[in-house]
Amino acid sequence: MTTQILCVIQNCQRSQIPSLRFICQSHVIAQAANLERQRLLQWTLAYAGLSASWFLEEDDHQNADLDLFIAELALQALSMGANNHEGIY
């Protein structure tokens, strides 16, 4: 599996690497924590959105943008099918 992931990363555009890494890491974390991946991604999306709103209240757009980026990655992973391996191979 590691070789397949490396091949995907080597052949993708630079802008796709954070998304692929997020997808791969979400599988690793879900397995290590013994959680359903969909639940992990939903929690990540909710927490990142809440955190972004707190930063925006403090007019901290830099940190809010980072949280919104993470929320976007979680949403993309959820839309691809949280419990399958689409996007990895």
Side-chain angles (χ1 to χ4, degrees):
M1 182 168 134
T2 304
T3 304
Q4 292 169 324
I5 293 170
L6 288 175
C7 289
V8 169
I9 290 174
Q10 289 171 350
N11 293 322
C12 71
Q13 295 177 3
R14 188 171 183 80
S15 63
Q16 294 173 313
I17 291 175
S19 182
L20 290 172
R21 179 155 171 75
F22 183 88
I23 290 167
C24 292
Q25 290 302 106
S26 68
H27 283 280
V28 171
I29 293 167
Q31 185 177 13
N34 198 28
L35 293 171
E36 288 182 24
R37 185 166 168 265
Q38 181 175 359
R39 184 173 177 196
L40 174 69
L41 291 170
Q42 289 170 334
W43 183 89
T44 302
L45 176 60
Y47 187 85
L50 182 59
S51 180
S53 70
W54 290 332
F55 282 123
L56 288 172
E57 278 185 357
E58 297 174 4
D59 204 30
D60 184 347
H61 293 274
Q62 184 176 2
N63 282 316
D65 287 346
L66 178 59
D67 283 337
L68 291 172
F69 178 69
I70 292 168
E72 183 179 333
L73 292 174
L75 188 58
Q76 287 174 1
L78 282 165
S79 70
M80 289 172 35
N83 289 317
N84 63 28
H85 297 282
E86 275 184 48
I88 292 182
Y89 305 111

